[in-house]
Amino acid sequence: MSGFVTFEGIELRYGAHTALAGLDLSISQGEIFVLLGTSGSGKTTLLKIAGGFLTPSAGRIVLDNTDITALPSWQRPVNTMFQNYALFPHMRVAENIGFGLRRQGMRGRELASRVEELLALIRLEGHGARRISELSGGQQQRVALARSLARRPKLLLLDEPLSALDRSLREETRADLLALLKFLGTTSIIVTHDQDEALAIADRIGVLREGRLEQVGRPSDLYERPATRAIAAFLGAANLIPVRLAESTADTLSLALPGGATAIMPVRPIAPAGLLHLALRPESLTLTIGTGPNTLAATVEGATYRGATRDLRLRLPDGTPLRANLSPDAPIPPEGSALRLTWNPSRAILLDR
Amino acid sequence: MTRSPFLTCWLIAGLTVLYLPIALLIGTSFNASRLTTQWSGFSLRWYVAMFHDTALMDAAFLSIRIALVSATIATLLGGIAGFALARLRRFHGRTLFAGLLAAPLVLPDLLIGLALLLLFVAAERLTGFPQNRGALTVVLAHATMCIAYVALVVESRLASTGTTLEQVAMDLGAPPFTAFLRITLPLMAPALLAGWLLAFTLSLDDVVIASFTSGPGATTLPMLVFSTLRLGATPILNALASLVLALAAGALFAAWRLGRARKY
Amino acid sequence: MRTLFLAPLWAWLTLFVAAPALLIAVIALAIPADTVPPFRLALAPDALIQALTDSFYWHGFLGSLRIAAISTLACLAIGYPMALAIARTSARWRGLLLAIVILPFWSGFLLRITAWIGILRDEGYLNAILSAVGIAKIQLMNTDAAMFIGIIYCYLPFLILPLESRLSSADRSLEQAAADLGATPVRVFVHVTLPHSLPGMFAGLALVFIPVTGEYVIPELLGGPSSITIGRVIADEFFNNNDWPQASALALILLAALVLPATIARRAPRGGRI
């Protein structure tokens, strides 16, 4: 592997429990890499290993051609922005930001001007003398970011950087964070459990599940070509419909859906023994009156008006639940009524895992 | 659920009973008469007499010196103990350590005093030190008694802050010892101060342990008050009690103002 | 590194806690003698046997138990409603009220006894009031009643503080939910408030019970000749009879009686913590 940061065969076991099972990952310089996973997936563990707070049972980490596996956290050119910020309560804003610089021996005017520079970067000029308790949540988030950027780390780790913020503040802060990281060109690993956040900020996403990287790729790759049912369901909440391969020709696959419907889609390699599922995004389903291939019949169980869409809860004849996000202009189908839906075959995803 | 009038009345009555004796005592201390209940005019004569009572003044200064030294020793050792219990999750003999530390906290003063006296007597027989008992042995005894209190205060403070801040410091390039100096110690500081004050007060207030571990020529203030009280209360003691109460209230008020001034 | 760091503490605790505890056991087995110090080392169980069999000492132990039990329950009866009342005030009042409860506590406990002597003595305030309304003087000083007043007065804050801290940590919405579901105030208290407060209550009870068992000063100053506690007996054997082995034997038994239940309680699984 030849990335700027490489994790090679990282393993972490506590007794019989395996937190990380032989993880390989390569990240290029200036990339924003998002580790996405539910709690217990091992994402925070990997971040702690990168930061030097946990020693892996096996494997090594190479950063900029240097093996840093054995370096303690205070000697690594890696800094972390901690979840909930962990700002030092007994220090002022400027002291917090300057803490890492002082450890490098920076003092006096040089220190003051570098701290002022960082304050300007996070648009908190003149706030250096404030107490931490006097700052708003958004301001604290920015101070924590500035503190972790102060030493110009080769690798920046961000643990759920936006999760402590109010929803209203999150989107704006997310854009600021992304712009700042891109402006500085800092190689970053961001840990999150929020798929929207991952899709919005990542250059690439790695989905962690049970200590393994299940898929790594650009946000659009993951969304359009998820490798597994779990990822399809997690990213974008796709409908998963069990299907059977009915016929395959040189360039198309014909699939049998529950209730006698069929789907026809471009050919692609599939595992012979795999249980097949068709993944259909709720937003790619539309109402139809047709009865040909790529349509299906469903019963309405309920509807929720969401402004931009009207979300239907449906059920297929075999009992498989289905969601469809239709245009709000569509007529409101009464509960219990039957309707037909169709989709663009190029948006359908066939999964064999 | 609204506050019940019964609870409010009970609280007011309880606090009244708590303060009534003190109020009477303060009033009595300004009574010119030697007789408690016969008011014969406002006077500071008992305060003047108190400051002229050399035995009492000597005992007071001895008590303050003993309290200063033993509180300082207890804060140093108790600070280390509290840090160890909160931050070194596993170390050799932790259970024994915690047990020995907590023993003086849970045992009656009488047992502590008796046990330490036996120790000092045995040590003198075996090594010639400490030669006779006096201020030094009381200091050692009081420090032993107070370590656990300081440790308790420090441990709960550190446990409530968690280790994340130290991790942040190390992440930002501070080796463990620097992280301790810059982060842990400042976090511990309020607890150390509170622990020191508690130890100081406990030492000043102790009569039983001091009675066992002190020797001739080293009479602490509580020992003197105790032996005086056995013969009956004197007006001078009323004056002393009022003065101590005023000092305590002043200290508590100052601590409160200080706490309000720097809130984080 | 860790060893070095903790070495001074280990040394201190070994010397000043472990060694003295052992010495009590050693001297409990010694024989009294007319020497300085007044004992000869031996392996004689006489003092221990005496301590366990002599009815005089039994009176001491049982007397302590009785006084500790009565005082603890009285503190609970008086202190529980006070703690509950403080816990239910707003945050601002709470701090002030706690300070008010703690303040007398900082004035020195002998001096608080002094205040009570001023009230209870024959020429004190209480008798002055009684004679003013035409009732004959009563002797209060050096009676059980005076001793109980003194003990309860001095130890009440020890019960209130842990209990209040636990009570104020309770989620008020639980009580409100119970009341909303139709529980009467008494039922809400019995089924919601009281069970939640138990850990704080037990901590407070222990903080009163244990020191009162060994209490020496208050019975000595306010109590009468019949207010016998084991603390008084031990001090008496030690200071007046100069019988160090007997005092040590009694201390050893008291130590065992206090430490063993605590150790067992610590081993047992615990439901809640304060």
Side-chain angles (χ1 to χ4, degrees):
Chain A
M1 279 198 255
S2 59
F4 183 66
V5 188
T6 56
F7 295 85
E8 297 168 14
I10 299 290
E11 265 183 37
L12 187 74
R13 298 177 196 287
Y14 307 99
H17 174 70
T18 304
L20 289 173
L23 183 139
D24 293 305
L25 179 62
S26 174
I27 298 169
S28 27
Q29 188 156 18
E31 188 175 3
I32 296 179
F33 189 89
V34 172
L35 273 174
L36 183 62
T38 51
S39 65
S41 60
K43 58 188 197 302
T44 303
T45 308
L46 185 63
L47 210 65
K48 283 187 172 172
I49 288 175
F53 302 112
L54 279 176
T55 313
S57 323
R60 60 181 206 135
I61 309 166
V62 179
L63 173 58
D64 196 11
N65 298 318
T66 314
D67 186 337
I68 60 164
T69 321
L71 284 183
S73 60
W74 59 93
Q75 286 170 4
R76 290 188 186 198
V78 176
N79 288 128
T80 309
M81 183 182 149
F82 284 74
Q83 195 175 6
N84 302 324
Y85 321 138
L87 295 169
F88 303 129
H90 58 291
M91 295 183 188
R92 306 282 171 147
V93 168
E95 293 170 277
N96 262 283
I97 294 176
F99 187 89
L101 300 170
R102 288 183 71 91
R103 304 283 82 72
Q104 290 175 320
M106 198 185 281
R107 292 289 187 278
R109 185 168 294 177
E110 193 191 0
L111 177 68
S113 75
R114 175 86 178 112
V115 168
E116 207 47 52
E117 201 179 294
L118 285 155
L119 281 169
L121 207 57
I122 56 168
R123 292 180 286 109
L124 281 176
E125 295 97 333
H127 285 59
R130 295 279 179 92
R131 291 178 189 285
I132 298 304
S133 55
E134 292 166 358
L135 300 182
S136 71
Q139 289 173 328
Q140 291 189 9
Q141 195 265 0
R142 276 136 68 194
V143 172
L145 180 64
R147 184 177 68 177
S148 58
L149 284 169
R151 289 161 65 99
R152 298 195 173 94
K154 288 183 178 170
L155 174 63
L156 179 67
L157 310 171
L158 301 100
D159 190 357
E160 304 272 5
L162 302 167
S163 67
L165 295 175
D166 287 341
R167 211 185 158 78
S168 57
L169 207 57
R170 211 175 292 167
E171 208 140 312
E172 187 194 334
T173 314
R174 182 163 83 192
D176 285 353
L177 174 69
L178 188 61
L180 189 59
L181 292 180
K182 281 296 168 196
F183 170 70
L184 297 171
T186 314
T187 311
S188 315
I189 299 179
I190 301 178
V191 154
T192 184
H193 65 273
D194 181 337
Q195 42 126 346
D196 283 339
E197 196 172 303
L199 291 172
I201 54 182
D203 290 329
R204 280 191 308 151
I205 298 174
V207 181
L208 260 178
R209 239 165 65 93
E210 289 163 8
R212 289 169 203 283
L213 270 176
E214 205 158 68
Q215 189 177 7
V216 177
R218 288 178 303 158
S220 57
D221 293 342
L222 262 67
Y223 193 81
E224 285 160 22
R225 283 181 294 282
T228 65
R229 292 204 298 279
I231 293 175
F234 187 47
L235 274 175
N239 294 299
L240 295 170
I241 303 166
V243 293
R244 197 169 41 77
L245 184 61
E247 195 188 339
S248 74
T249 67
D251 42 32
T252 56
L253 294 174
S254 178
L255 305 164
L257 274 65
T262 46
I264 298 192
M265 56 187 301
V267 76
R268 51 152 293 184
I270 42 175
L275 199 64
L276 293 180
H277 281 82
L278 188 67
L280 294 172
R281 302 278 177 201
E283 69 271 17
S284 56
L285 290 168
T286 49
L287 285 174
T288 184
I289 47 165
T291 52
N294 296 332
T295 64
L296 52 75
T299 316
V300 178
E301 296 207 320
T304 311
Y305 179 68
R306 292 198 183 277
T309 57
R310 186 181 301 282
D311 296 0
L312 297 188
R313 289 191 307 283
L314 306 139
R315 206 167 278 281
L316 296 185
D318 72 326
T320 309
L322 190 75
R323 282 167 181 279
N325 300 352
L326 304 179
S327 151
D329 307 330
I332 308 170
E335 214 172 295
S337 65
L339 47 72
R340 295 194 69 81
L341 296 160
T342 186
W343 62 92
N344 178 348
S346 67
R347 308 290 294 176
I349 308 151
L350 186 61
L351 297 164
D352 54 8
R353 278 200 283 154
Chain B
M1 209 162 22
T2 49
R3 221 176 302 152
S4 110
F6 164 76
L7 286 181
T8 312
C9 292
W10 188 275
L11 179 65
I12 292 169
L15 293 179
T16 310
V17 174
L18 216 54
Y19 276 84
L20 187 70
I22 293 168
L24 286 174
L25 173 119
I26 294 172
T28 315
S29 74
F30 294 112
N31 186 357
S33 164
R34 178 174 287 278
L35 297 168
T36 310
T37 54
Q38 278 169 16
W39 183 258
S40 59
F42 180 88
S43 156
L44 289 175
R45 63 179 281 211
W46 305 116
Y47 288 87
V48 176
M50 172 177 72
F51 285 109
H52 283 105
D53 185 334
T54 46
L56 191 126
M57 284 294 119
D58 287 351
F61 282 120
L62 179 70
S63 273
I64 290 170
R65 287 208 309 272
I66 287 175
L68 285 174
V69 180
S70 55
T72 307
I73 296 174
T75 304
L76 279 173
L77 292 172
I80 296 174
F83 175 81
L85 288 175
R87 286 289 188 266
L88 313 179
R89 297 203 152 268
R90 272 167 299 201
F91 59 88
H92 211 63
R94 187 189 157 103
T95 313
L96 178 68
F97 182 84
L100 288 177
L101 192 68
L105 200 69
V106 297
L107 293 177
D109 291 352
L110 190 93
L111 290 184
I112 304 173
L114 177 64
L116 283 168
L117 170 62
L118 298 178
L119 172 80
F120 294 138
V121 170
E124 189 184 2
R125 298 279 289 181
L126 292 173
T127 66
F129 178 87
Q131 211 170 27
N132 293 322
R133 290 177 296 285
L136 175 66
T137 47
V138 179
V139 164
L140 293 174
H142 280 180
T144 305
M145 163 181 84
C146 295
I147 289 173
Y149 289 90
V150 180
L152 204 68
V153 178
V154 170
E155 186 195 355
S156 71
R157 166 84 186 175
L158 284 179
S160 74
T161 57
T163 55
T164 313
L165 293 176
E166 282 105 325
Q167 280 192 7
V168 176
M170 288 193 245
D171 184 68
L172 292 168
F177 187 66
T178 313
F180 174 79
L181 280 186
R182 301 276 164 185
I183 307 300
T184 320
L185 209 54
L187 286 177
M188 281 165 71
L192 288 173
L193 182 65
W196 188 90
L197 280 172
L198 186 61
F200 184 81
T201 317
L202 286 168
S203 168
L204 267 189
D205 204 24
D206 165 71
V207 54
V208 175
I209 296 177
S211 300
F212 275 99
T213 53
S214 188
T219 305
T220 65
L221 186 62
M223 287 166 69
L224 184 76
V225 173
F226 181 54
S227 56
T228 313
L229 280 179
R230 285 182 129 159
L231 307 172
T234 66
I236 288 182
L237 288 186
N238 293 337
L240 176 69
S242 306
L243 185 68
V244 171
L245 192 74
L247 290 176
L252 214 61
F253 182 71
W256 177 67
R257 285 300 295 265
L258 217 65
R260 263 167 66 106
R262 44 181 317 178
K263 46 182 173 190
Y264 59 74
Chain C
M1 178 64 198
R2 282 181 181 191
T3 330
L4 205 68
F5 175 67
L6 287 177
L9 260 167
W10 274 115
W12 189 285
L13 292 176
T14 310
L15 190 59
F16 292 112
V17 182
L22 280 178
L23 268 175
I24 289 188
V26 168
I27 291 167
L29 294 171
I31 297 168
D34 283 332
T35 52
V36 178
F39 59 85
R40 209 151 34 76
L41 287 181
L43 275 177
D46 305 25
L48 275 170
I49 292 170
Q50 185 91 357
L52 287 171
T53 53
D54 193 319
S55 68
F56 174 73
Y57 298 131
W58 272 110
H59 275 138
F61 281 113
L62 292 176
S64 274
L65 215 58
R66 179 183 73 98
I67 292 169
I70 294 174
S71 317
T72 308
L73 289 177
C75 279
L76 181 66
I78 299 168
Y80 199 110
M82 288 177 75
L84 194 58
I86 296 174
R88 289 193 176 169
T89 53
S90 63
R92 263 189 66 194
W93 274 98
R94 203 185 146 230
L96 183 67
L97 287 170
L98 284 176
I100 289 175
V101 170
I102 297 170
L103 179 62
F105 186 54
W106 281 58
S107 64
F109 104 105
L110 278 174
L111 300 173
R112 273 173 289 153
I113 304 286
T114 310
W116 274 104
I117 292 177
I119 295 175
L120 298 173
R121 61 200 279 187
D122 292 352
E123 314 82 40
Y125 284 103
L126 203 62
N127 272 318
I129 294 169
L130 289 181
S131 60
V133 296
I135 300 174
K137 278 191 177 184
I138 46 171
Q139 199 214 329
L140 286 160
M141 278 298 287
N142 305 322
T143 62
D144 266 11
M147 177 190 67
F148 279 121
I149 291 173
I151 291 178
I152 293 164
Y153 185 74
C154 286
Y155 284 94
L156 190 59
F158 289 98
L159 186 107
I160 293 181
L161 293 180
L163 184 57
E164 193 281 335
S165 147
R166 177 74 187 177
L167 281 169
S168 67
S169 78
D171 184 357
R172 285 303 301 279
S173 60
L174 281 180
E175 293 175 1
Q176 281 155 2
D180 187 57
L181 293 170
T184 61
V186 174
R187 276 172 173 272
V188 170
F189 177 78
V190 171
H191 292 290
V192 182
T193 316
L194 186 65
H196 174 80
S197 71
L198 286 180
M201 194 172 104
F202 288 134
L205 290 177
L207 279 179
V208 178
F209 189 88
I210 294 175
V212 172
T213 322
E215 184 57 56
Y216 159 68
V217 174
I218 301 175
E220 189 76 11
L221 289 178
L222 295 174
S226 66
S227 318
I228 300 285
T229 65
I230 195 62
R232 276 179 103 175
V233 173
I234 294 175
D236 197 48
E237 289 294 347
F238 197 86
F239 289 116
N240 298 339
N241 298 348
N242 217 22
D243 190 344
W244 291 22
Q246 193 60 62
S248 300
L250 292 166
L252 192 64
I253 293 167
L254 179 59
L255 189 71
L258 289 175
V259 169
L260 285 183
T263 318
I264 293 164
R266 193 177 284 259
R267 289 278 155 88
R270 266 181 299 184
R273 301 195 70 180
I274 316 159

